[in-house]
Each structure stands twice: as structure tokens, then as C-alpha cells.
Amino acid sequence: MARSTSGTKRKSKTGQGGNGNGKLGSEGRALRRSQTARPSGATRAPPARAAAPTDARRPVAGRLIIIGGHEDRENDRLILRQVTDCAKRGRVVVCTVASDVPGELWKTYERAFRELGCADVVHLDIERRADLMLDPPLHLIEGADAFFFTGGGQLKITTRFAGTRLCSAVEEFYRNGGTVAGTSAGAAVMAETMIVSGPSGETHKIGEALQMAPGLGFIRDVIVDQHFAERGRIGRLLGAVAQNPRFIGLGIDEDTAVIVEREERFSVIGAGAAYIADAEDVTYTNVAEEETSRALSLFNVRLHVLSQGDSYDLRSRQPTHQFAKDVDERLARTDPRQKGASHSEAHAGA
């Protein structure tokens, strides 16, 4: 009775009712709280978020470059140029453990990185986990400036590489300030939980086989999906965050990358976009309640689309904008070919 009276008073003060008898339903109350918890003006500071269970982990000094796949390896090579710049053109370790054609991929990336100014490019190919257990090539990491995972199958990376002394050495390298990059499958494994497989190009169904597995855990509270727009993977990313709303869903288009600094924020570069599905304020999902053939319901999920120049704060979960042309100019200064072209154009215009 007291609860009903309280609801009536709330209606008379606010002029709002949720279900015809003066009471807001639990979903309505949660929705109103989530709407007021977020800042409506750009000048207001975002609210403090509750610490996730993994927030107590040791701080990270390094950088991740997470690539959506099919990055340009022949022409401008914008994303690979960022890898070499972050490595200060020192040693780059190219790990082809995920690939069925490791020799072919190694030749492609070796040529690309050497042409971008890296004199020290080494190959790490792992055919069997036992090889790493017996004689891990730790010396490769000791002299490295960047570690690069190629594409292929992400389960090959985790089953052959995760939990080994070499994997621990790469994680320590990253925590101490090193750069770890990965494309396609090499992008998916960066997270604590990775998507292994699931239907693309359609609305997610509750009972669909969305297979997820532990990743390498270099970035917390994020699930990464790659080849995103090209393969229509918005449905399966929403399905993934519906199962665990604490995680941010991060979908990355091909020839696009996010550069994560100190596990605090990331910026976007490349030709496509990065999509962020934030389910933290979700008020309802039917993922555990309906028949397996039913389409997914997900209320109050937040979706951001970021392109080159935009950035995202992983702690406050807020995006910010910078004009892409300003980023183009900054990135062009790292490419001698672009610098020369700009110089020629300026003289031609004069």
C-alpha cells in the first residue's frame, strides 16, 4: 500500500506515469535513471562509473593497434605505417600463428615493413604448441619494438600461443610500453573474451550458435569483431553484448584500425568506421527468456559510429571528435611520399 501511495505522489509531482495507475514499471525507472545519468551537454563531465571487476589490474603503459582486416599493404599503407611509427622503425616481430599460409603472409608483411623503413623484421611461426613449450624464442621479444599478429583463425592463436612463456613475455612487453598490433583474427584475440564464430548479415536469433572463447586479454571489458560492415556483423555484436552488458562491443571495418593508448582511450584511423555498442544501460533483453528461434530484443543500447579522427574514452564511455582532415595532415607528415606530393602540388598551384 505504501508503495502504491509513493507512486501516486511521484506522478502528481512529475506529471509522468508509467502504467496507468501512477506507478513507473521497473524498466521505466531504469530507463529514466540511465537517461539522467548521462550528460546531455558537452560541457558537463561524465558521471563516475562503477569499477569493473578487472579494473584493479596493473596499469598498462603500451599501445594496441587493432585492425579490422584487409588493411592496405601495397599503396599508402596508412595503418601499417602507424605500426612502424609506433615501433620507431625498430624491430617488428610478425607472428603468423593464425594463418594456414604463414610463409606467404610473412613475405607480404616483411616487404611492407621493410619498405616503410624497418630494417629489423623477424618472423615467428608456431606450428605446434609443444615447440613453444620446449624452446620459446624469448630473445625475439627482448629486442622488439612491435609485435604483429596476422589474420587467420583466432583459435589457432589461443590454442598454440596463450598461456606460454612467450605469451607472458609479450604481455609484459605490452604493459611496459611496447606496441602490440593485430589484424582480423589477430584483432579478435586482443580481448578477454573473443567472438570465434557466428552468423553474419542477419538479425541475431537467441539460439544462434554465437561461439565465444577466452582471448589473450590485452584489453579489458571489450569484445572485438572485425570485417564489420563488409560482413554485416552488427547483429552478432549486439548478441554478444546482450549476453554480458558489462562489455563494450567494438566492431571495426576493413582497412580501419583503433589505436588504444594505455588501455584508457582509443582513436580511429583508416578508410572505414569503428562501431561501439554500449549495453551498460540496457533495461531489458529477452536473451534468457524466449524461445531459441526468437529474434533478439535489446532496449536502450547505445550505438556510436566513429571514423578517422574520432576517439573514445574507455573509462567514461564517451566519444570525442576531431576533423579527419587534421588527422590526414598529421599522418601525411610521417610519409615521405605524401610530403613530396604535397610539396609538388604547392608549387604547381603557385
Side-chain angles (χ1 to χ4, degrees):
M1 196 70 177
R3 185 177 303 169
S4 177
T5 303
S6 173
T8 304
K9 289 181 179 179
R10 179 163 53 249
K11 182 181 178 183
S12 65
K13 288 181 180 179
T14 63
Q16 294 179 348
N19 54 9
N21 63 1
K23 294 194 296 183
L24 284 171
S26 59
E27 294 168 26
R29 288 194 297 271
L31 178 59
R32 285 183 60 190
R33 283 197 301 270
S34 67
Q35 288 172 337
T36 57
R38 298 290 185 178
S40 59
T43 59
R44 292 179 60 189
R49 296 179 55 246
T54 50
D55 277 348
R57 195 166 69 171
R58 183 159 59 90
V60 172
R63 178 186 291 109
L64 297 177
I65 301 179
I66 308 176
I67 309 166
H70 290 306
E71 71 284 353
D72 177 13
R73 307 170 199 166
E74 301 292 337
N75 301 307
D76 183 49
R77 294 181 284 206
L78 172 67
I79 294 170
L80 295 183
R81 202 161 10 107
Q82 291 304 292
V83 177
T84 60
D85 289 345
C86 290
K88 300 178 181 178
R89 305 192 186 278
R91 174 181 293 177
V92 177
V93 180
V94 177
C95 180
T96 58
V97 60
S99 178
D100 290 328
V101 287
E104 180 180 326
L105 273 185
W106 158 241
K107 290 179 181 178
T108 298
Y109 282 108
E110 180 191 26
R111 179 173 60 84
F113 283 127
R114 289 192 184 279
E115 289 179 357
L116 288 170
C118 294
D120 189 2
V121 187
V122 297
H123 184 201
L124 175 61
D125 183 24
I126 305 165
E127 294 184 359
R128 300 180 307 159
R129 183 180 179 86
D131 296 334
L132 280 187
M133 304 299 287
L134 292 172
D135 186 23
L138 300 176
H139 63 282
L140 296 181
I141 306 304
E142 292 169 0
D145 294 282
F147 192 95
F148 184 88
F149 289 102
T150 69
Q154 47 264 51
L155 281 178
K156 289 184 178 179
I157 299 176
T158 55
T159 57
R160 297 179 187 178
F161 182 78
T164 65
R165 287 177 59 199
L166 183 61
C167 182
S168 297
V170 172
E171 182 174 359
E172 191 68 14
F173 159 78
Y174 162 56
R175 296 197 175 285
N176 289 334
T179 295
V180 177
T183 183
S184 190
V189 297
M190 297 290 187
E192 289 175 306
T193 300
M194 64 181 184
I195 298 176
V196 176
S197 64
S200 300
E202 59 187 52
T203 298
H204 182 73
K205 303 294 193 302
I206 294 173
E208 283 178 338
L210 181 59
Q211 182 184 0
M212 293 190 283
L216 297 181
F218 292 162
I219 183 170
R220 299 170 288 184
D221 304 330
V222 174
I223 296 176
V224 177
D225 209 351
Q226 67 282 4
H227 306 285
F228 196 69
E230 291 78 7
R231 300 185 186 180
R233 288 179 166 173
I234 183 67
R236 80 177 195 176
L237 186 66
L238 290 173
V241 297
Q243 293 184 28
N244 195 332
R246 176 169 65 85
F247 290 159
I248 293 170
L250 173 59
I252 309 174
D253 289 347
E254 294 177 358
D255 197 26
T256 307
V258 302
I259 302 176
V260 186
E261 303 282 356
R262 299 177 181 270
E263 208 178 12
E264 295 176 351
R265 63 185 299 109
F266 66 74
S267 56
V268 181
I269 63 169
Y275 299 74
I276 297 165
D278 181 358
E280 187 179 47
D281 289 339
V282 160
T283 54
Y284 170 75
T285 178
N286 63 350
V287 73
E289 299 175 2
E290 294 278 8
E291 298 88 351
T292 57
S293 60
R294 192 73 63 186
L296 174 71
S297 292
L298 195 62
F299 295 178
N300 205 38
V301 65
R302 293 164 61 85
L303 180 66
H304 303 290
V305 184
L306 281 64
S307 62
Q308 179 163 297
D310 296 333
S311 59
Y312 186 79
D313 189 309
L314 289 163
R315 298 193 174 185
S316 67
R317 299 197 176 194
Q318 293 293 315
T320 55
H321 168 68
Q322 181 181 3
F323 285 109
K325 64 180 181 180
D326 296 335
V327 179
D328 286 337
E329 293 172 0
R330 176 174 57 81
L331 295 176
R333 290 196 290 270
T334 68
D335 186 356
R337 295 172 304 167
Q338 295 291 337
K339 192 180 295 183
S342 299
H343 183 71
S344 298
E345 289 169 5
H347 280 281

